[in-house]
Amino acid sequence: MSLTVLSVVGARPQLVKLAPIASALAAEGHRHVIVHTGQHYDADLSDVFFTGLGIPDPDVHLGVGSGSHGVQTGAVMAALDPVLEAERPDWVLVYGDTNSTLAGAVSAVKQHLPVAHLEAGLRSFNRRMPEEHNRVLTDHAADLLLAPTKEAIRHLAAEGLGGRAVLTGDVMVDVCLRVRDAVLGGGAAEPALPEGIDPAQPYLVATLHRAENTDEPERLALLGEALANLPTQVALLAHPRLLARADQHGIKLGRGAVCVGRPLPYAGLVAAVLGSRGVVTDSGGLQKEAFLLGRPCTTLRTETEWPETLEGGWNELVPNPAALGQARWTAIATRSAPDTPRGTPYGDGRAAEAAVRALVEHSR
Ligand code: UD1
């Protein structure tokens, strides 16, 4: 059976997840319509992923851009309506937990189109996070829930959604391992680390972009200070949101141990993590990439949607570095990789094929 699947994407992590799905759909001869909402529009956050990961160009670009949650979500919905009406796909596929995800799901159910949610069932149980609203609402709207982990399946079952859930594994594994092999095989360029980082000396890769870390000036200043005071070089790959907020509040990020650079294309990021001593981040994707690439991760949050990474000390949650004292904070952030086995909680790297099979099996 050949399906028409319409993917709604818009933000950087969704483009990474789109790559293996686009290849798996193409391999099975399905028609794939890619709609880019325009939530991310800077080349560093969008275009480089299409070229770097070999994703076909979007068929439709909604050009929505930034805005408050309501404005952004509403603008995507308004712009999607005529596209969905014209295409009437067999599935609308939405990815992850951004405002584009929620908008895609709501628009589709309103038009009685079947919706599948890739990366369903993740929960932080922190209702202050915009991503948590987006995940919960999308899961409850969707007809098919493609869950990356057993834990995600448990969350869905607890919310009465187990009947619509399928365990596929995590598509991030598909793409991360493929790119890792290309990087290790010499098929990719050296990472463009921020100016000032000596790659011959140990360094940490750091990112910070979540609203709860960037939008309160005191919190952002505290985190900037904690990174600056580390005794190891810190390559801070800065999301535009971080730069905008730091600028707005007069916080200087590039000082002490920290050298600030631009976000990297995917292969560059994988190479940067492979060359690093470890990762300090608030990104969900990067926590998992560090885990898959065998680098210790320190997560600047109170909780994680990826608790499997915490097993064996591969990932450590540090909600507030200042509360730990300098010695303890340094010891955690610069620790060596543990020697505990990581197992394969995210699957075997064939999640996209499993997701496409589930779309075929569950299509009406
Ligand atoms: C969004 C997602 C978040 C995801 C992240 C990945 C929501 C609510 N959040 O956060 O879940 O982890 O993407 O990166 O959907 N900006 C630019 N250029 C761009 C895009 C954004 O300068 O191309 C700046 C703007 O100042 C904008 C701000 O970043 O206001 C925030 O962008 P937004 O799309 O609202 O959320 P992200 O922080 O990127």
Side-chain angles (χ1 to χ4, degrees):
M1 184 202 302
S2 175
L3 301 174
T4 294
V5 176
L6 185 148
S7 284
V8 180
V9 292
R12 174 173 58 174
Q14 292 166 335
L15 307 179
V16 176
K17 291 163 204 160
L18 173 66
I21 291 287
S23 345
L25 285 170
E28 296 295 319
H30 299 296
R31 180 165 173 264
H32 189 198
V33 179
I34 299 175
V35 178
H36 192 313
T37 65
Q39 176 168 352
H40 284 175
Y41 42 88
D42 281 354
D44 285 351
L45 297 188
S46 180
D47 303 3
V48 297
F49 291 90
F50 282 90
T51 43
L53 294 172
I55 308 168
D57 283 342
D59 298 278
V60 182
H61 206 298
L62 304 180
V64 160
S66 302
S68 66
H69 293 295
V71 165
Q72 192 174 50
T73 310
V76 173
M77 287 173 60
L80 256 183
D81 266 358
V83 178
L84 298 183
E85 189 53 51
E87 290 290 344
R88 305 292 311 166
D90 298 297
W91 285 105
V92 174
L93 183 58
V94 296
Y95 300 66
D97 56 16
T98 72
N99 290 342
S100 297
T101 315
L102 176 62
V106 175
S107 293
V109 289
K110 295 279 184 196
Q111 295 203 26
H112 312 293
L113 291 169
V115 183
H117 183 203
L118 188 91
E119 209 176 75
L122 298 189
R123 296 290 181 268
S124 66
F125 301 102
N126 177 353
R127 292 300 284 259
R128 304 237 355 126
M129 290 174 67
E131 293 83 0
E132 187 74 353
H133 316 148
N134 292 339
R135 292 179 194 121
V136 171
L137 294 168
T138 301
D139 281 341
H140 283 259
D143 303 278
L144 178 62
L145 300 169
L146 304 167
T149 61
K150 290 183 188 147
E151 179 82 357
I153 291 278
R154 279 193 284 277
H155 293 152
L156 293 168
E159 292 174 28
L161 301 175
R164 298 185 230 162
V166 176
L167 178 64
T168 56
D170 187 342
V171 297
M172 293 277 294
V173 179
D174 305 19
V175 65
C176 185
L177 298 187
R178 175 169 67 80
V179 172
R180 175 200 64 187
D181 293 346
V183 167
L184 293 176
E190 287 292 303
L193 290 171
E195 213 179 302
I197 296 284
D198 176 358
Q201 299 301 319
Y203 67 87
L204 298 170
V205 170
T207 74
L208 208 55
H209 77 282
R210 288 198 184 271
E212 64 266 31
N213 283 335
T214 58
D215 290 8
E216 274 175 39
E218 278 144 42
R219 170 110 188 121
L220 181 55
L222 178 155
L223 295 175
E225 177 90 10
L227 293 175
N229 289 340
L230 287 172
T232 304
Q233 310 177 88
V234 176
L236 179 60
L237 308 175
H239 184 292
R241 175 190 201 113
L242 172 64
L243 296 178
R245 298 297 183 271
D247 195 41
Q248 191 182 337
H249 303 308
I251 295 167
K252 184 166 163 49
L253 295 167
R255 63 195 180 87
V258 177
C259 296
V260 181
R262 290 160 56 170
L264 293 176
Y266 196 73
L269 177 81
V270 167
V273 171
L274 284 169
S276 77
R277 182 174 178 86
V279 168
V280 182
T281 191
D282 61 2
S283 148
L286 197 46
Q287 290 172 53
K288 252 179 318 161
E289 278 139 9
F291 179 83
L292 295 169
L293 298 171
R295 295 295 176 276
C297 184
T298 304
T299 298
L300 299 170
R301 288 181 48 197
T302 38
E303 69 280 308
T304 176
E305 297 78 17
W306 305 103
E308 302 81 7
T309 58
L310 300 172
E311 299 279 320
W314 284 95
N315 189 9
E316 297 241 7
L317 295 174
V318 176
N320 182 357
L324 292 176
Q326 186 61 41
R328 181 87 189 108
W329 159 240
T330 298
I332 293 177
T334 63
R335 73 196 188 280
S336 309
D339 49 17
T340 40
R342 283 166 287 158
T344 52
Y346 302 113
D348 59 1
R350 309 188 72 161
E353 285 168 39
V356 170
R357 257 197 320 276
L359 291 175
V360 171
E361 281 164 15
H362 291 79
S363 68
R364 308 185 194 130

